[in-house]
Amino acid sequence: DPTDAKDFDDALSVTPGDVPGTYEVGVHISDVAAYIEPRSRFDEAAAKRCFSCYLPGRTLPMLPPALTAKISLKAGEPSLAHSHFFLVDGQTGAILKSRREHTLVTISRRLDYDAVQRFHDTGKAPEEWSDAERETVGKLLELSRLMRRRRFQEEQFIELPLPEIRVLCDERTNRIEGLV
């Protein structure tokens, strides 16, 4: 998530697979449906928006802030999630099999895009990251490079390395403070 995110609804994990040389990558998404009754006013309101919208200086949440806070994935707290697990070949990046499950996950730390990008670019992790977190993020980056390379070879997609510009705003006044 970006450093200024208001909801934290996704997480990643990686563990060695059952077969030597494979890894199980987990993608975990907060289980919003566990907290929302079908056809309730929250369900109908969320269906109209479908996602939280981040605009310079403000956020238009999909759900009420108190509910968003309740279902957000917080470090050290068990959370209901929808998880998709991929068994990935550690040499080729091929996805060998996958499965989806309802899970109870406990994340170790909230990460942000900037810290992970710095780790990717420099190999230097923030001081507060544990050795296990450094290892996990490093393995996820390694596997993502393999998977991306394999996908490029198989699909011949066009990669467009475009810069990302972030507008920094004062959330009280909606005044632009700068661009990063």
Side-chain angles (χ1 to χ4, degrees):
D1 289 307
T3 55
D4 59 351
K6 302 290 188 265
D7 59 352
F8 314 107
D9 56 3
D10 49 45
L12 298 171
S13 65
V14 63
T15 57
D18 293 337
V19 176
T22 64
Y23 295 89
E24 185 171 73
V25 175
V27 178
H28 314 281
I29 307 296
S30 177
D31 187 356
V32 176
Y35 299 92
I36 304 290
E37 283 288 323
R39 293 181 274 303
S40 69
R41 66 184 173 103
F42 291 132
D43 188 33
E44 290 174 3
K48 288 179 185 170
R49 181 150 307 127
C50 298
F51 58 89
S52 295
C53 182
Y54 293 93
L55 299 170
R58 62 187 161 150
T59 302
L60 302 174
M62 180 174 72
L63 299 168
L67 181 57
T68 296
K70 180 180 177 78
I71 64 176
S72 285
L73 304 176
K74 297 178 200 76
E77 295 183 22
S79 300
L80 297 172
H82 286 271
S83 298
H84 205 114
F85 297 94
F86 301 91
L87 185 65
V88 179
D89 183 306
Q91 295 296 313
T92 66
I95 296 174
L96 305 174
K97 64 180 179 178
S98 67
R99 72 181 194 285
R100 183 176 163 269
E101 295 181 15
H102 290 275
T103 57
L104 185 66
V105 299
T106 302
I107 64 166
S108 63
R109 177 178 305 280
R110 177 188 176 243
L111 303 180
D112 64 76
Y113 293 142
D114 294 336
V116 173
Q117 188 65 53
R118 275 192 302 278
F119 182 63
H120 173 272
D121 294 344
T122 68
K124 295 179 183 171
E127 288 182 22
E128 64 270 14
W129 286 15
S130 69
D131 289 342
E133 290 163 344
R134 286 180 173 88
E135 187 177 327
T136 296
V137 174
K139 182 53 73 178
L140 285 166
L141 289 171
E142 177 188 331
L143 291 170
S144 71
R145 282 190 287 269
L146 286 170
M147 294 169 75
R148 183 176 279 285
R149 182 172 42 217
R150 181 177 183 85
R151 181 173 169 232
F152 180 75
Q153 290 169 346
E154 289 180 357
E155 298 178 21
Q156 299 295 304
F157 63 86
I158 298 174
E159 193 157 3
L160 300 173
L162 300 173
E164 180 177 323
I165 297 174
R166 186 168 185 76
V167 179
L168 305 176
C169 290
D170 180 313
E171 291 192 25
R172 290 179 293 115
T173 65
N174 283 345
R175 294 184 62 92
I176 296 176
E177 295 177 338
L179 302 173
V180 176

